[in-house]
Amino acid sequence: MTRPAPRPLLALWLAVLALGLCAAAACGRPGSPPVKGPQPDRLPRYEVARDFRLPDSPTWRKATARGRLVVGAKEDQPYLGEKDPASGAYSGFDIEIARMLAASLGFDPAGIEFRTIASANRETALQNGQIDYYVGTYTINDMRKRLVGFAGPYYMAGQSLLVRADEKDINGPRDLDGRKVCSAAGSTPLQRIQREYPRARAVAYDSYSVCVDNLLAYQVDAVTTDDTILMGYAAKVPEELKVVGTPFSQEPYGIGVPRSDNALRLALDDALEAHQRNGDWTKAYDATLGLSGVPAPRPPAIDRYPAA
Ligand code: GLU
């Protein structure tokens, strides 16, 4: 583990860099990515189900009794899950997925409370009932399925690498020998680097934005996690950062639920499928993750696995 570098807030970095880019007339140039994130007035609205009931789900019963859903999310992943420090509002593709599913369960946007949970704390948060479900670049895998349930998948990502724009020697995970690579504690990309590329010098922090701060401050040589997350950071400061190589894993994103709540898991699978069919999924993608430059893919097939 490396000692944390002096950490200017990523938001500050991005704001300063964005201003610099605007001054250099990069803003609004055709083909340049938008500096701003998702625009609230361009986001789809989801029809809120009336008289929806799911009495077999203890999570739904608890949420209904309290009058709102508590959803775990990320707060520093551009285009996916990002919290506006001024207003406290969350935005991004994961947030839209959370909202469309909430609508199917009978909760309107005002009835959702988002709570930031880091990668390493997701399973505990679901096991302790701190959150009702979790939507935040959460890869479905067998190890995690022993601890939590997963609805979905709703998106297929892949592990990739983010480097400084002037980096020439890192083009894939094999080039990481002896180089410092940063990822988040408790994440699948960190585990893969440690397991499959042991000559890389892995460094872990709680969140990817701290890794990006360290990359911009020359404290690490690369950041590794899902391409979706890295593209979001790169799209905000394309003069400073780039995503290199081709994805070297498959990361199917699921909605984390308490493990024993099969009724909730299957209801979310049904809801997700309905939102894929009626076009909400694509509209949500285009208004969020699609802003980082990749056209909407076909959503992956939903996996309704049997109860454990
Ligand atoms: N999808 C990976 C995971 O679930 C990396 C992203 C994250 O940490 O949220 O571990």
Side-chain angles (χ1 to χ4, degrees), residues 222-275:
V223 177
T224 190
T225 184
D226 304 337
D227 49 359
T228 42
I229 301 174
L230 299 179
M231 271 162 10
Y233 293 126
K236 289 218 169 177
V237 284
E239 257 54 51
E240 300 289 319
L241 299 173
K242 63 181 178 187
V243 178
V244 289
T246 44
F248 50 97
S249 75
Q250 289 213 317
E251 308 289 333
Y253 287 171
I255 298 113
V257 297
R259 185 168 187 262
S260 57
D261 200 336
N262 291 299
L264 178 64
R265 172 166 64 85
L266 296 171
L268 293 179
D269 280 336
D270 290 346
L272 186 60
E273 189 156 32
H275 289 288

Side-chain angles (χ1 to χ4, degrees), residues 74 77 94 117-120 122-123 134 136-141 144 150 157-159 183-192 206-208 224-226 228-229 249-254:
K74 293 289 183 71
Q77 299 184 172
D94 285 335
I117 307 280
S119 296
R122 294 182 280 212
E123 291 80 25
Y134 186 93
T137 60
Y138 197 10
T139 295
I140 304 172
N141 66 30
R144 288 176 176 167
F150 285 104
Q159 184 168 355
S183 196
S187 71
T188 50
L190 176 68
Q191 286 158 10
R192 185 167 297 100
D206 283 349
S207 67
Y208 300 109
T224 190
T225 184
D226 304 337
T228 42
I229 301 174
S249 75
Q250 289 213 317
E251 308 289 333
Y253 287 171

Side-chain angles (χ1 to χ4, degrees), residues 25 31 38 79 88 112 143-144 147 189 209 251 258 269 285:
Y79 308 110
I112 311 171
M143 229 172 43
R144 288 176 176 167
L147 304 171
S209 53
E251 308 289 333
D269 280 336
Y285 178 93

Side-chain angles (χ1 to χ4, degrees), residues 14 21 34 76-78 90 92 111 127 131-133 160 206 226-227 244 251-252 256 265 277 285 290-291:
L14 295 176
L21 296 179
D76 61 348
Q77 299 184 172
Y90 286 73
Q127 287 170 329
I131 52 176
D132 297 323
Y133 59 79
S160 210
D206 283 349
D226 304 337
D227 49 359
V244 289
E251 308 289 333
R265 172 166 64 85
R277 280 224 199 89
Y285 178 93
L291 298 175

